[in-house]
């Protein structure tokens, strides 16, 4: 008899032992395999499917700026306003993830795991293809929705000013801050993606918690930030050069490093180190 079995609580019926087994949290290898399979499915999608889903995600992200601006416009000035208005930041993420639309920073984890599991040039090519089309679709959607929010007579002047202030706050960061905060943001999104399969019933609360903390910490995110900063550009408050060089490139690099090269690598290494077997074999052994 193994040490584990000899240490069991005495007096449990077979049904109770089965209930205990069913209520165990999934092992890291199981989570890894779930996310890897999701990533593999994303890598197999057609260009058209990826493009339209990514474009829809960019448009949906407009909810984040819209919600934050509406909150700020209706709250008294002060630091306490950010505590409440940061809840609005979660709106776009909730819409995108619950609608299963393609968001670039999610793919820095899900689509990377198949490549780490089978590191071939073909898989790397599939990853770069996915990243490229999803990033372009997301940016096209955010730039379009920012222009619509500015140009169409939708919001009152106080809310329009709040939108500008949100963007200006992002641009207060220098390039090194954009990059460093982008690393933290990419890591947080990857953490969220990793948590959801083990707590599917609490998905909404996980999304709310992680993205709310991102907003409170003013961490930079390539998709939401492109919405906020492009609003400034359309309004004539910033230039496209500043958008790409001061915001987009350092933030994008930080998001990729935080989500792919830090979180994904460490999580993958953790699973590999459990037994030295690939995740698919670990599941078969279970």
């Amino acid at each position: 008899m193994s040490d584990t079995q000899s240490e069991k609580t005495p007096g449990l019926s077979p049904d109770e032992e089965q209930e205990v087994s069913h209520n165990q949290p999934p092992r890291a290898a199981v989570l890894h395999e779930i996310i890897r399979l999701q990533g593999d499915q994303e890598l197999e999608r057609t260009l058209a499917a990826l493009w339209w889903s990514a474009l829809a995600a960019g448009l949906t992200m407009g909810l984040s700026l819209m919600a934050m601006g509406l909150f700020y416009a209706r709250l008294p000035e002060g630091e306490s306003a950010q505590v409440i208005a940061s809840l609005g930041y979660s709106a776009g993420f909730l819409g995108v993830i619950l609608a299963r639309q393609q968001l670039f920073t999610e793919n820095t984890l899900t689509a990377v795991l198949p490549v780490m599991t089978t590191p071939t040039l073909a898989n790397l090519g599939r990853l770069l293809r996915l990243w490229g089309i999803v990033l372009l679709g997301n940016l096209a959607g955010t730039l379009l929705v920012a222009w619509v929010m500015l140009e169409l007579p939708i919001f009152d002047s106080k809310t329009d000013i709040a939108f500008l202030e949100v963007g200006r706050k992002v641009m207060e960061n220098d390039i090194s801050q954009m990059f460093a905060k982008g690393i933290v943001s990419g890591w947080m999104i990857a953490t969220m993606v990793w948590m959801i399969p083990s707590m599917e019933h609490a998905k909404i609360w996980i999304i709310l918690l992680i993205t709310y903390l991102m907003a409170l910490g003013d961490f930079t995110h390539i998709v939401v930030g492109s919405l906020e900063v492009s609003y400034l550009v359309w309004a004539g408050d910033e230039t496209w050069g500043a958008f790409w060089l001061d915001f987009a490139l350092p933030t994008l690099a930080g998001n990729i490093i935080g989500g792919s090269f830090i979180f994904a690598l460490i999580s993958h290494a953790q699973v590999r180190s459990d037994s030295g077997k690939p995740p698919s074999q670990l599941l078969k052994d279970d």
Side-chain angles (χ1 to χ4, degrees), residues 25-64:
R27 295 194 304 119
V30 177
L31 296 177
H32 184 288
E33 184 65 5
I34 291 171
I35 297 169
R36 188 196 67 78
L37 285 172
Q38 291 173 349
D40 209 45
Q41 291 169 358
E42 291 175 0
L43 290 170
E44 291 297 323
R45 295 183 70 180
T46 65
L47 286 176
L50 288 172
W51 166 260
W52 291 115
S53 182
L55 180 66
L59 295 172
T60 303
M61 272 299 173
L63 292 173
S64 289

Side-chain angles (χ1 to χ4, degrees), residues 9-282:
T9 302
L12 292 179
S13 68
D15 287 343
E16 289 170 331
E17 289 183 2
Q18 188 175 17
E19 184 179 349
V20 171
S21 178
H22 286 165
N23 280 282
Q24 292 300 308
R27 295 194 304 119
V30 177
L31 296 177
H32 184 288
E33 184 65 5
I34 291 171
I35 297 169
R36 188 196 67 78
L37 285 172
Q38 291 173 349
D40 209 45
Q41 291 169 358
E42 291 175 0
L43 290 170
E44 291 297 323
R45 295 183 70 180
T46 65
L47 286 176
L50 288 172
W51 166 260
W52 291 115
S53 182
L55 180 66
L59 295 172
T60 303
M61 272 299 173
L63 292 173
S64 289
L65 179 59
M66 187 185 305
M68 285 191 294
L70 289 170
F71 273 128
Y72 276 122
R74 286 153 181 78
L75 288 169
E77 293 185 9
E79 290 187 2
S80 60
Q82 185 181 3
V83 176
I84 300 173
S86 293
L87 285 170
Y89 190 86
S90 303
F93 287 95
L94 283 167
V96 167
I97 296 171
L98 295 181
R100 300 188 65 83
Q101 296 168 349
Q102 288 286 334
L103 181 65
F104 177 77
T105 45
E106 271 192 287
N107 292 329
T108 55
L109 176 65
T110 54
V112 166
L113 291 187
V115 179
M116 291 183 176
T117 304
T118 311
T120 63
L121 285 176
N123 274 342
L124 178 61
R126 292 199 304 161
L127 174 64
L128 295 177
R129 164 186 170 272
L130 174 75
W131 276 5
I133 196 68
V134 170
L135 180 60
L136 286 174
N138 285 169
L139 293 180
T142 55
L143 267 60
L144 175 59
V145 76
W147 181 85
V148 168
M149 290 172 64
L150 176 70
E151 295 296 334
L152 297 189
I154 303 172
F155 304 102
D156 57 37
S157 58
K158 194 172 181 180
T159 306
D160 289 335
I161 292 171
F163 293 152
L164 290 170
E165 290 302 319
V166 170
R168 286 168 184 154
K169 190 170 185 180
V170 175
M171 294 304 290
E172 288 176 0
N173 296 299
D174 59 30
I175 292 177
S176 63
Q177 290 174 316
M178 294 285 192
F179 176 70
K181 291 183 178 183
I183 292 175
V184 178
S185 178
W187 173 77
M188 292 177 76
I189 291 293
T191 302
M192 179 184 72
V193 173
W194 188 270
M195 291 169 64
I196 286 175
S198 64
M199 297 287 287
E200 190 71 30
H201 61 282
K203 178 188 287 189
I204 291 177
W205 296 110
I206 293 171
I207 298 169
L208 277 172
L209 172 64
I210 297 297
T211 55
Y212 177 65
L213 291 176
M214 286 170 60
L216 277 181
D218 293 323
F219 301 122
T220 53
H221 185 274
I222 183 60
V223 182
V224 184
S226 68
L227 172 72
E228 298 165 341
V229 179
S230 66
Y231 190 93
L232 292 180
V233 177
W234 293 127
D237 215 56
E238 284 288 351
T239 65
W240 286 113
F243 175 90
W244 293 111
L245 298 177
D246 297 340
F247 162 73
L249 291 179
T251 298
L252 176 62
N255 287 170
I256 291 174
I257 289 172
S260 297
F261 299 134
I262 295 180
F263 189 94
L265 271 174
I266 291 174
S267 300
H268 184 73
Q270 170 196 356
V271 171
R272 288 284 186 172
S273 300
D274 275 342
S275 68
K277 300 177 182 178
S280 56
Q281 185 63 45
L282 286 169

